[in-house]
Amino acid sequence: ALPEGSRPEGITAGSGNDLWVACLSGLILHVNLDTDASTVVYYEPGVALSGAKFDQDQQILIAAGSLSGKGYLFHMQKINDQSSNRSQYVVSSKEVVPLCSSPLCYINDVALSNDRVYFTDSFHPQLYSIPRYAAAANSRSSKLASRCDRPVQAHPTGAAFDTKPGQFRANGLTAHSSSSSQDILLVANTHTGNLYSVQVDKPS
């Protein structure tokens, strides 16, 4: 069982028997699928965390920051607790990436391609992306970072995602295919009830 009041939203598989949960309460939870035990790994105060993906190559949990307009990258480290003779995860560093310049946006879900991280914005007809591997060296400090310099790109999603006040459009997101020249994303539109394909061409 998850902690009472955690309000789980984003669920993503980790390595082996690990499951990660991002919560609207700001909690980051780790679940051991062998034992069903859940542990609070981190708390991001004042931020409702939405969709999430776990980058196994870098051991980074990437979460959408909903109304904050930001993406959050939590670098996870597995350590041994000598008192209990068990291993546990801690956040060794954190990156906070401002994605949306508008005063009102909702960063909802996350997807990984071979070299980029994509985010949906439920209030605007565009995706945002940042380099998946860039600036990783800046995150190896033992101190938590408040932000980083990963450059953000915006990608239009088309007229079906134009929003009016009170509408909630781009939601779930996954990378359908990824190559050196382009990524193809599948984006769920909550308002229309349809699934759309969005092609993102990469610079040559």
Side-chain angles (χ1 to χ4, degrees):
L2 301 180
E4 184 176 354
S6 56
R7 302 174 66 197
E9 177 72 9
I11 303 173
T12 180
S15 304
N17 62 350
D18 294 332
L19 186 74
W20 294 95
V21 184
C23 301
L24 295 175
S25 63
L27 291 177
I28 296 290
L29 306 177
H30 170 260
V31 178
N32 184 318
L33 293 176
D34 286 342
T35 64
D36 290 338
S38 63
T39 305
V40 175
V41 176
Y42 193 74
Y43 172 56
E44 186 66 29
V47 177
L49 299 174
S50 186
K53 291 293 184 296
F54 190 77
D55 184 335
Q56 296 191 31
D57 291 345
Q58 303 178 90
Q59 295 292 292
I60 300 175
L61 179 69
I62 306 168
S66 63
L67 289 170
S68 73
K70 299 172 183 177
Y72 290 80
L73 292 82
F74 302 95
H75 294 247
M76 297 297 177
Q77 181 180 357
K78 197 172 188 177
I79 62 174
N80 292 320
D81 185 350
Q82 296 181 351
S83 62
S84 63
N85 198 29
R86 295 179 181 178
S87 60
Q88 63 181 18
Y89 283 95
V90 297
V91 175
S92 61
S93 62
K94 177 184 72 174
E95 298 177 46
V96 182
V97 184
L99 299 170
C100 176
S101 58
S102 170
L104 183 61
C105 49
Y106 195 99
I107 309 303
N108 200 325
D109 204 6
V110 185
L112 303 179
S113 76
N114 61 358
D115 58 356
R116 298 198 69 78
V117 181
Y118 290 89
F119 300 85
T120 51
D121 184 342
S122 297
F123 294 164
H124 297 280
Q126 58 190 13
L127 304 175
Y128 307 103
S129 75
I130 59 175
R132 178 173 174 178
Y133 295 99
N138 294 340
S139 305
R140 294 173 182 167
S141 167
S142 60
K143 297 181 179 179
L144 296 183
S146 60
R147 61 175 297 161
C148 74
D149 295 322
R150 296 189 191 231
V152 178
Q153 293 183 8
H155 313 281
T157 48
F161 292 91
D162 287 340
T163 59
K164 297 179 181 179
Q167 293 181 350
F168 202 79
R169 297 237 173 190
N171 197 334
L173 176 69
T174 189
H176 174 64
S177 64
S178 182
S179 69
S180 59
S181 60
Q182 69 176 209
D183 290 329
I184 296 179
L185 292 306
L186 299 180
V187 188
N189 189 317
T190 298
H191 186 76
T192 66
N194 294 322
L195 191 66
Y196 296 84
S197 176
V198 176
Q199 176 178 307
V200 175
D201 294 321
K202 300 178 182 178
S204 57

